[in-house]
Structure formats: structure tokens, C-alpha cells
Amino acid sequence: MFRFGVWLFGSFVCLQSALADTMDWFIRDWPPVNILQGPQQGQGAYDVMLHRLMLALPQYQHQLHVSTLTMRQQMMQQEKSHCLFGLLKTPQRQTFLQFSEPVAVIPNLQLVARADHPMWQQIQQRRAVDLTWLFGQSWRGMVEEHRTYPSPIAEHLTEFVQVSATETNLVQMLKANRADYVLEYADRMHYLAQTSDGLKLRALPLQGLPAVTEVYVACSISEQAKAQIKAVNAALQQLRFDPQYRAALLDWLTPESRHLIKNYMAQSPMFSNITQVAPISNPRGR
């Protein structure tokens, strides 16, 4: 069991002198972006990307701390000095956090259900699911509690089965028919399915949501953090074209999602100044 505040991943920590400014990074076990246990520990997408970012900021002493989602929510509102990697930016969060430029872009939330669920007979040949239509059906939807969801999902949270992000296996909930579908990142669900019992899943985009969403570094609001965010933005100018950083962005994605993100990067002014992405050896869990 990990203890809150413990040092993690020795190779991930850039140690400077005792006088160096400290950046406290709080992460949680949320495969496949952060993997804190097992043989793949430290190999998650955000694990690798954060490691590359810390190496690009040698002027700081970096400390990694484990936290649960609930702890992170509390820290955000208690003005405790901290930084987070891979956070969604919302107007509400901007009241107590300051955000960097985008550090990555990921496929957006989708409808995910068992591949053999009868719902697919009604959804067949659709390229996206209309949420208004979906919410009018009798199927039981599932989401994780204490998460930030975009509109109109956020307005319907009380209608969903809400489960703990740390104590509930979403795949097992679908397998046991405790819920008909989950609104989640499809790549995360495919990873969970393949590392549990290999349950076959199917996913479909949600109409009205963009295909991809950007994530950021966020730090608590302070003058010190303001300087840290400025340093992060400067480091990102080079990191976005770092082969290992770019490969980590794609490493855990399904082939379909990888194609989507590669196309996005090819068209994005932030990512398109380079034409070659380092080849990905041994894609995880595919």
C-alpha cells in the first residue's frame, strides 16, 4: 500500500540542492495514464510525460506524492501548494488553480458498453450517440463520482449510477449488469478490460462533444506557482517535439485513437512543427 507523501519512482525525481524551489506533484493510481503498481509501474502515459517535463525543469526540486481523487479535490480548495499533470481546465477550477498551455490532447469521453449488449442493435450505424436520446432510454448509465464532466453530462449526474473511482472496477460492473453503459475514456476501459478478464467492449463518440480534449498542468494559485507555470510553458516549447514525450502520448491508445491523435497533432500549430513521431515499440495491452 502506498503512503501519502511517499517518494515515488526514484528515476522520476530530479533532485537539486536543498535551496532549490520545490514543485510538489500529486498523482493518483489511474491506469493507463498513471500506473503506480505492478510490473508496469511508472510506464503510464502521464508517468513518462511528467518525467520528461521534470527533466526539462532542472531548476526545481521535484517531489511526487500519491493522492486519491478526493484528496486532490480537497487540496484544490485548501490552497495547499501542489501541481497536477493532465488536468482538464474548467471555469470553476480556474478560480483556485492556474493552468499551463496544453500538455497533451486525448480522445474525449465516449459511450462504452459490453460488445454483446442489446443497445447496439438500436444504435447500429450511428456515428455518434445523441445524449438527449440516450438519457431518454431505460438503460442504466454509470459514471465515477467526484469527477468533472462536461455539459450536458454534468446536468444529468443524478440519473447515473455513481461509483467510487478507487474502489470500483468499471469493467466488472458492466460484466455483472450493474450498469448498461459507462461514459468514460474508451482507451481506459479497453485497458481495464484487457488487464482483468478480457471482456469485449464497444465504444461510440458522444454527439455534441469534440472528438478530443486538451489537458494541462495546473498549480495552486500563488506567486511561486505563477513562476512555475511560466517555466512549464517554456519547457513545453521543446517537449512537444521530444520523441519520447510524443510517443508516450500515443503509447497506450487503441489503433483508432492513435490515428485520431496523430491527425490532430498533424493539424495543430502546437504539435505540427515536426513530421516524425518516434516509433512505438511493443504497444501496451493491444
Side-chain angles (χ1 to χ4, degrees):
M1 177 67 66
F2 288 97
R3 293 183 301 171
F4 182 74
V6 72
W7 285 78
L8 293 177
F9 313 147
S11 62
F12 274 30
V13 181
C14 237
L15 290 178
Q16 303 299 315
S17 70
L19 297 178
D21 289 334
T22 299
M23 291 189 73
D24 289 287
W25 298 94
F26 286 80
I27 59 176
R28 65 186 180 109
D29 193 19
W30 209 63
V33 294
N34 290 115
I35 303 176
L36 307 189
Q37 305 180 60
Q40 296 172 332
Q41 176 178 329
Q43 298 177 37
Y46 291 175
D47 294 328
V48 175
M49 297 170 78
L50 177 55
H51 173 48
R52 301 299 295 173
L53 176 59
M54 290 192 295
L55 290 177
L57 297 170
Q59 66 270 41
Y60 293 102
Q61 175 179 316
H62 299 279
Q63 297 186 18
L64 289 176
H65 307 273
V66 176
S67 70
T68 64
L69 183 59
T70 300
M71 290 177 179
R72 279 173 50 165
Q73 296 285 355
Q74 292 172 348
M75 286 188 302
M76 289 180 190
Q77 301 178 46
Q78 292 175 355
E79 300 184 359
K80 179 178 176 62
S81 178
H82 65 284
C83 292
L84 307 165
F85 186 96
L87 200 67
L88 296 173
K89 181 166 63 174
T90 67
Q92 191 264 344
R93 284 177 171 174
Q94 287 180 282
T95 62
F96 49 82
L97 290 169
Q98 50 192 331
F99 287 80
S100 69
E101 296 174 358
V103 296
V105 59
I106 61 174
N108 216 333
L109 297 168
Q110 296 190 26
L111 167 73
V112 183
R114 293 173 50 160
D116 60 357
H117 195 285
M119 73 165 56
W120 297 115
Q121 297 176 9
Q122 296 189 42
I123 303 177
Q124 60 182 335
Q125 298 184 352
R126 293 181 184 230
R127 293 187 177 183
V129 177
D130 184 322
L131 287 172
T132 301
W133 173 83
L134 179 65
F135 295 150
Q137 306 304 310
S138 60
W139 302 317
R140 293 163 297 172
M142 177 173 56
V143 294
E144 288 184 334
E145 61 186 3
H146 305 310
R147 291 263 300 274
T148 296
Y149 291 93
S151 179
I153 299 173
E155 287 76 25
H156 290 267
L157 288 180
T158 57
E159 303 172 27
F160 288 90
V161 177
Q162 297 195 40
V163 299
S164 168
T166 57
E167 300 175 0
T168 306
N169 186 311
L170 298 176
V171 171
Q172 293 301 321
M173 290 284 286
L174 294 179
K175 182 179 180 180
N177 293 318
R178 299 287 300 277
D180 296 295
Y181 66 88
V182 60
L183 300 185
E184 184 52 277
Y185 300 110
D187 296 282
R188 181 187 178 217
M189 292 298 295
H190 286 305
Y191 171 85
L192 294 176
Q194 293 178 10
T195 56
S196 55
D197 56 9
L199 180 69
K200 299 300 182 182
L201 300 174
R202 184 175 171 183
L204 200 63
L206 302 175
Q207 187 175 315
L209 291 186
V212 300
T213 186
E214 294 174 334
V215 293
Y216 305 78
V217 164
C219 295
S220 50
I221 295 178
S222 69
E223 286 302 313
Q224 179 186 22
K226 183 177 180 181
Q228 292 171 345
I229 290 293
K230 182 177 180 180
V232 167
N233 287 338
L236 286 172
Q237 300 303 313
Q238 299 298 321
L239 271 181
R240 290 194 188 97
F241 310 115
D242 172 76
Q244 293 185 45
Y245 188 89
R246 290 171 69 92
L249 188 64
L250 305 169
D251 200 11
W252 292 96
L253 301 180
T254 62
E256 296 79 10
S257 292
R258 193 175 301 142
H259 179 72
L260 175 69
I261 297 303
K262 280 186 175 181
N263 282 346
Y264 177 91
M265 290 195 297
Q267 300 174 32
S268 167
M270 286 190 174
F271 288 93
S272 62
N273 292 338
I274 190 169
T275 58
Q276 296 295 321
V277 176
I280 302 171
S281 59
N282 300 321
R284 321 288 190 190
R286 300 278 78 88

